[in-house]
Amino acid sequence: MTKKLPSSLGGKAAVAGAAIGSAAIAAALLYASKRKAKNRPAQPGPIPSGEKPETD
């Protein structure tokens, strides 16, 4: 025979579990976006052509 939790305790545990799970997902998304931005070069360098740049 299985033991049943009181209804108030089961509901609180479910809410706490959902909050912890959503916080973990948010942290994983933030980590992934920071890592992706870190690997992307900020700005490409100039193309070395050997000629002086012309300015107007």
Side-chain angles (χ1 to χ4, degrees):
M1 191 173 196
T2 61
K3 294 181 181 179
K4 283 192 164 186
L5 294 173
S7 62
S8 63
L9 182 61
K12 289 178 184 177
V15 170
I20 291 171
S22 63
I25 291 171
L29 290 173
L30 285 173
Y31 174 76
S33 66
K34 283 184 181 181
R35 185 172 177 177
K36 184 178 178 183
K38 182 180 174 183
N39 290 336
R40 186 179 323 137
Q43 194 174 29
I47 299 172
S49 64
E51 298 178 6
K52 292 186 177 183
E54 297 180 12
T55 56
D56 290 333

